[in-house]
Amino acid sequence: MLYRTFVLCILVRNTWSSSWKSEVEEGSKVHFPPWFKFGSATASHQIEGAWNASGKTPHIWDVFAHTVPGAISDGSNGDVACDSYRLWREDVKMAADLGLDFYRFSISWPRILPSGFPNHINEEGVRYYRELMDGLLEVGIEPVVTIYHWELPQSLQDLGGWTNPLVVDWYADYARVLFTLYADRVKTWITLNEPMVFCEATYTLGSHAPGILSPGIGNFLCNRHALLAHAKAWRIYDQEFRHKYHGKLALTNNLLWFEPDEGHGDEVAELVRELGAGMYSHPIYSKEGGWPPVIEKIIAERSRRQGYPKSRLPPFTKEEIKFIRGTYDFYGFNYYTARLARWAKPGEVLGKWPHFGTDELNISLVVKPEWKKSPLDWFIIYPEGIRRQMKWLKRKYGNIEIFIMENGLANIDPRLDDTDRVDFYREHLRQVLLSIYEDGVNVTGYTAWSLMDNYEWIDGYHSKFGLYAVDFSDSERRRTPRASAFYYSSVVRTGSLVLPATYTSYTASSSKNALSYITIVINFMLALSLIK
Ligand code: PNW
């Protein structure tokens, strides 16, 4: 007890350190409004493992990693991952130690419906998620559930997956099963995680499971069906469940922020924003609904020039436009990175991700030399982008509630003193504060990606996003908090960006001063012991 009090004193002293004072003196706001919620996120395939256990059948990522040579950069798969199917109590404990308001996780479609259809509901899968939800609720953490985080049952992929119009019904039936099972416990639902990524990376680039290269055709079919599927699930909830459970639903979009390259006007950036954000937002959030008109026109003209009898971007019917429009309770926003947009030079080869069909617009995406690099080539660090993107959403779709469902930094080394990640969180959260206080953006929550290192899709275990490090060579998949876990926990608990001196001096001193280094390490360990 005495020891804990001592630790607490150190934390309190650190919390009221000079860094806080100077920020206040500078006049910048450091406190989040009291209603603002903080959480962290994972996704089923990235953490659960147990790929063929307890009645689960394979989904597209199981099959992709197992059968396509070179599909995953390190040749790995998600068969065991963080073993969270077995170790979920540790995940709940980490979320509780961080003091999170909510924990976002996803449900694996074939773990609940092994055939892909609701003819058979797998009780073991149902129990797993029920126990996880109850475990969270017992420690006062809200479960935020993603219905689809890229795990299409392989049986449905064999029937065409997201390019088959029937997927709308398949998905809606699955969503209804989840609402029936869990709506009493879950009040915030994400229908689809990043349709832009699962349509474009799969069909435009052929790099994500199931790896079908069909640029300009498959991506548009997928985009269209994803929006209809989302809308159908939202309407099912709205009509059959809302009056009883009062939950909120939206999809979440990964939005890359685009600015014009030097010498280019905003027109080029605005056009690519309509492709990246608009195609997955305009049909739901705009007043008129339907595809962004400018994109619809360009694709129709190109299709005609290319000899297609109809546009490759299938238009929505009037009924469909009405059916999709307004199917939201908030805007789910995932933010990682940004690019500059410029008109492509004649014959320019646009390369891979994050180019995603920008050739349709004759636009090339480049990186500003001043932007900070991360160890991953696609991941350029641009904190202002999160604020500018939200301001853009407000301008385009009105002052809707925005919920940041993912934001976080990948690096490639497993070290615990992840000062780069602490800086990343701090700088992005500062931009979120500016959005609230300067731009009047209605942003209500922030989600750190990710609670722990996990299976990063085509990058395998190479990229690490975790607040907690996971030892993948250990059969118990030991989880250890990083400095960023300590920092984020401090933000969550104090609701402010106040930086404990522990960390400030850590960055300031690094190798310069051995004594302060030792003090810092001791402080850091003491602080961590409080979290434990
Ligand atoms: C998201 N981009 O994917 C996914 O929702 C997570 O499952 C994933 O682990 C996380 O972000 C980190 O990659 C993204 O290029 C893929 O901007 C690509 C981008 C953003 C998010």
Side-chain angles (χ1 to χ4, degrees):
M1 186 62 203
L2 196 66
Y3 175 70
R4 290 200 156 240
T5 315
F6 170 65
V7 173
L8 193 62
C9 289
I10 289 187
L11 260 191
V12 170
R13 193 207 66 202
N14 289 346
T15 303
W16 293 94
S17 69
S18 54
S19 73
W20 178 81
K21 243 180 92 197
S22 63
E23 281 179 12
V24 170
E25 280 162 9
E26 280 166 20
S28 66
K29 300 263 195 331
V30 291
H31 291 280
F32 282 86
W35 40 260
F36 195 86
K37 287 187 184 169
F38 292 98
S40 185
T42 58
S44 36
H45 184 52
Q46 297 184 267
I47 64 163
E48 284 175 8
W51 77 281
N52 59 356
S54 318
K56 177 184 166 294
T57 58
H59 52 61
I60 53 175
W61 279 91
D62 292 323
V63 174
F64 193 53
H66 289 163
T67 62
V68 181
I72 311 299
S73 69
D74 62 1
S76 65
N77 56 53
D79 291 3
V80 181
C82 305
D83 208 1
S84 286
Y85 190 69
R86 185 169 63 93
L87 302 173
W88 62 268
R89 286 180 187 81
E90 292 191 24
D91 302 349
V92 172
K93 181 161 183 327
M94 292 190 291
D97 287 347
L98 290 169
L100 301 183
D101 297 313
F102 66 90
Y103 172 50
R104 176 185 167 214
F105 60 93
S106 74
I107 292 184
S108 173
W109 187 336
R111 204 183 281 296
I112 297 289
L113 303 180
S115 71
F117 299 106
N119 60 316
H120 165 59
I121 298 176
N122 179 26
E123 265 317 308
E124 285 186 75
V126 171
R127 188 176 349 112
Y128 169 67
Y129 294 110
R130 194 190 300 123
E131 286 181 355
L132 173 58
M133 290 169 194
D134 288 345
L136 290 164
L137 289 166
E138 270 163 34
V139 291
I141 298 174
E142 184 197 340
V144 169
V145 169
T146 312
I147 297 172
Y148 182 79
H149 202 123
W150 308 355
E151 291 169 67
L152 192 73
Q154 184 60 38
S155 57
L156 301 184
Q157 183 56 50
D158 294 342
L159 300 175
W162 286 101
T163 61
N164 185 336
L166 293 175
V167 74
V168 177
D169 286 338
W170 304 338
Y171 172 84
D173 290 344
Y174 161 56
R176 184 187 275 107
V177 169
L178 296 193
F179 298 150
T180 308
L181 289 168
Y182 303 124
D184 57 343
R185 294 164 169 84
V186 178
K187 302 298 167 198
T188 308
W189 297 89
I190 305 292
T191 52
L192 302 172
N193 181 68
E194 301 180 344
M196 185 268 201
V197 176
F198 74 72
C199 292
E200 302 299 332
T202 299
Y203 294 102
T204 305
L205 303 171
S207 58
H208 273 207
I212 296 171
L213 202 56
S214 171
I217 306 274
N219 54 317
F220 291 143
L221 292 174
C222 175
N223 189 160
R224 177 184 161 79
H225 300 146
L227 288 164
L228 286 164
H230 153 80
K232 190 152 192 172
W234 188 91
R235 294 199 178 279
I236 287 173
Y237 188 89
D238 200 49
Q239 282 152 23
E240 300 171 28
F241 298 89
R242 191 187 294 279
H243 64 281
K244 195 158 171 213
Y245 299 110
H246 312 288
K248 287 180 165 190
L249 275 85
L251 47 68
T252 191
N253 280 319
N254 166 53
L255 305 182
L256 282 114
W257 173 245
F258 300 109
E259 290 182 6
D261 194 8
E262 220 173 294
H264 289 69
D266 199 49
E267 183 205 353
V268 62
E270 193 59 20
L271 194 54
V272 75
R273 286 174 204 143
E274 288 293 3
L275 186 71
M279 289 291 285
Y280 299 87
S281 307
H282 193 274
I284 300 174
Y285 293 93
S286 71
K287 289 205 174 56
E288 60 277 23
W291 299 119
V294 58
I295 304 291
E296 192 164 26
K297 191 160 163 254
I298 290 174
I299 305 298
E301 275 168 16
R302 276 175 63 90
S303 303
R304 194 166 31 79
R305 280 207 307 276
Q306 290 162 340
Y308 290 91
K310 287 182 185 152
S311 176
R312 287 182 282 103
L313 174 62
F316 287 118
T317 63
K318 275 202 182 89
E319 291 71 36
E320 286 170 335
I321 289 175
K322 229 174 116 197
F323 186 72
I324 298 172
R325 196 178 58 203
T327 55
Y328 67 89
D329 298 304
F330 59 90
Y331 194 103
F333 168 39
N334 298 358
Y335 178 74
Y336 289 92
T337 194
R339 288 292 186 278
L340 299 180
R342 62 168 169 75
W343 301 116
K345 295 176 187 136
E348 184 177 346
V349 179
L350 296 182
K352 48 186 202 324
W353 189 262
H355 279 107
F356 55 98
T358 60
D359 55 328
E360 301 265 23
L361 310 178
N362 196 34
I363 288 175
S364 173
L365 302 176
V366 292
V367 166
K368 201 172 195 165
E370 301 91 281
W371 285 348
K372 238 194 264 170
K373 303 218 167 25
S374 83
L376 301 177
D377 57 356
W378 65 270
F379 200 151
I380 306 304
I381 302 169
Y382 185 51
E384 289 86 348
I386 199 169
R387 175 182 177 193
R388 293 182 184 185
Q389 184 69 66
M390 289 195 280
K391 212 171 164 180
W392 184 84
L393 289 173
K394 182 179 173 187
R395 177 163 64 77
K396 291 292 288 188
Y397 308 121
N399 204 12
I400 46 179
E401 178 184 348
I402 299 177
F403 204 127
I404 298 165
M405 283 294 171
E406 285 182 29
N407 179 230
L409 177 70
N411 56 32
I412 51 175
D413 71 61
R415 71 198 160 87
L416 297 179
D417 58 333
D418 55 343
T419 52
D420 51 349
R421 188 172 289 107
V422 174
D423 290 342
F424 181 96
Y425 279 125
R426 187 167 186 259
E427 286 162 20
H428 283 75
L429 284 165
R430 189 193 299 284
Q431 294 297 322
V432 176
L433 281 172
L434 292 170
S435 301
I436 297 171
Y437 294 118
E438 302 293 325
D439 305 338
V441 164
N442 184 16
V443 51
T444 58
Y446 177 90
T447 314
W449 183 273
S450 172
L451 182 61
M452 62 189 138
D453 292 345
N454 56 47
Y455 182 66
E456 178 53 24
W457 309 107
I458 54 172
D459 221 12
Y461 298 99
H462 179 70
S463 304
K464 302 185 186 307
F465 275 91
L467 294 168
Y468 282 70
V470 175
D471 183 354
F472 291 102
S473 65
D474 173 11
S475 63
E476 287 308 304
R477 297 292 191 272
R478 201 160 65 87
R479 290 117 155 98
T480 313
R482 294 200 164 104
S484 56
F486 165 61
Y487 175 67
Y488 190 57
S489 167
S490 141
V491 173
V492 174
R493 288 168 195 280
T494 62
S496 87
L497 290 192
V498 170
L499 202 57
T502 326
Y503 178 72
T504 320
S505 36
Y506 189 82
T507 32
S509 67
S510 42
S511 58
K512 280 186 224 146
N513 178 337
L515 188 65
S516 72
Y517 183 77
I518 291 163
T519 319
I520 290 147
V521 171
I522 291 170
N523 259 359
F524 177 57
M525 287 165 66
L526 286 173
L528 281 181
S529 73
L530 185 79
I531 303 174
K532 284 207 147 199

